[in-house]
Amino acid sequence: DQQVKQNSPSLSVQEGRISILNCDYTNSMFDYFLWYKKYPAEGPTFLISISSIKDKNEDGRFTVFLNKSAKHLSLHIVPSQPGDSAVYFCAARVEGAGNNRKLIWGLGTSLAVNP
Amino acid sequence: DVKVTQSSRYLVKRTGEKVFLECVQDMDHENMFWYRQDPGLGLRLIYFSYDVKMKEKGDIPEGYSVSREKKERFSLILESASTNQTSMYLCASSSWNSGTGILFFGSGTQLSVL
């Protein structure tokens, strides 16, 4: 049973437009949500995170929005650039102490930004 | 900058071989992880370790073992490689008290078992 769901396996966007990647979750015990970006044949790199007590976090072109009542978060990329083409993973951290803090991963959304 | 180094980018092995994947991190992190990534299946946790000589099974430990003799090094062992272990293997590390749970990943090892 997937606790973190990225329902869109792929997304295609024109350069300069907004990319919106979505993530839904089922577990109310998540205390942090993270977005990672992964290029082919490379390891994922951390992009941006948000605490469960916030509803928005912004870092340059990347903004993450959290709607706790809907158990939904989204990553907005504005403006989208061809270099943003990658697989984006949503991950959630289980609230707890030390070793119990595990990350639960979505299956990823492949973003293609077309020139 | 945190650096997580995986010893090989590409490996080709034969069915039945014993395979060692090595990972070293340079940030004195307590936690280290081994994941595999397969198309359509996301990242699946194989094993993790929160201290030297300590290990815990992840979601898919069958067919794998791990070793952590030193804090900076975490090895994944395929005792008898099989074709269904062909995958991208990713090592990661994190601080035990990381405020946000950020993992730092290596570049990955693409393993092909023939």
Side-chain angles (χ1 to χ4, degrees):
Chain A
D1 182 28
Q2 267 197 288
Q3 298 183 61
V4 176
K5 295 182 183 178
Q6 294 178 256
N7 290 319
S8 299
S10 62
L11 178 67
S12 183
V13 169
Q14 278 303 116
E15 181 178 5
R17 299 286 184 104
I18 183 170
S19 295
I20 300 176
L21 295 96
N22 294 304
C23 182
D24 296 297
Y25 63 95
T26 58
N27 189 339
S28 300
M29 297 302 289
F30 292 143
D31 64 349
Y32 258 95
F33 300 90
L34 304 92
W35 285 94
Y36 278 79
K37 174 178 170 180
K38 186 182 182 302
Y39 292 118
E42 292 187 15
T45 54
F46 170 73
L47 197 55
I48 192 170
S49 65
I50 188 167
S51 163
S52 61
I53 63 173
K54 306 272 188 186
D55 55 19
K56 177 182 175 182
N57 188 27
E58 192 171 354
D59 184 2
R61 295 186 297 114
F62 302 92
T63 303
V64 55
F65 296 92
L66 175 61
N67 182 334
K68 283 177 63 177
S69 61
K71 292 190 173 66
H72 176 84
L73 66 154
S74 59
L75 174 68
H76 292 213
I77 306 173
V78 184
S80 301
Q81 300 173 354
D84 296 328
S85 298
V87 177
Y88 289 79
F89 289 98
C90 171
R93 189 179 77 170
V94 177
E95 186 177 351
N99 306 323
N100 292 325
R101 290 175 166 174
K102 296 180 184 177
L103 288 185
I104 310 297
W105 296 82
L107 297 185
T109 296
S110 178
L111 173 66
V113 180
N114 305 309
Chain B
D1 271 358
V2 174
K3 193 157 186 188
V4 179
T5 303
Q6 294 184 231
S7 53
S8 305
R9 291 298 300 268
Y10 301 96
L11 271 181
V12 179
K13 297 292 181 181
R14 296 216 173 267
T15 303
E17 277 193 77
K18 190 168 187 175
V19 181
F20 293 88
L21 302 183
E22 306 286 345
C23 176
V24 177
Q25 51 95 3
D26 65 358
M27 280 302 291
D28 203 36
H29 282 167
E30 296 81 8
N31 299 329
M32 295 189 75
F33 306 81
W34 276 106
Y35 286 90
R36 63 178 281 179
Q37 189 212 354
D38 302 285
L41 296 178
L43 276 72
R44 293 183 291 167
L45 181 63
I46 304 170
Y47 267 98
F48 72 99
S49 168
Y50 52 90
D51 201 352
V52 175
K53 296 191 186 294
M54 305 303 287
K55 61 186 179 186
E56 283 197 24
K57 293 179 180 179
D59 301 318
I60 51 164
E62 296 79 18
Y64 303 94
S65 62
V66 290
S67 171
R68 193 161 180 207
E69 297 296 319
K70 293 185 178 180
K71 190 175 185 180
E72 67 271 18
R73 187 179 296 269
F74 193 35
S75 302
L76 180 70
I77 303 151
L78 287 65
E79 296 290 342
S80 177
S82 63
T83 54
N84 63 12
Q85 292 179 310
T86 292
S87 185
M88 166 71 90
Y89 288 87
L90 295 162
C91 176
S93 73
S94 71
S95 172
W96 191 80
N97 285 319
S98 168
T100 58
I102 296 174
L103 300 186
F104 297 89
F105 283 87
S107 298
T109 297
Q110 181 63 54
L111 173 67
S112 296
V113 182
L114 306 177

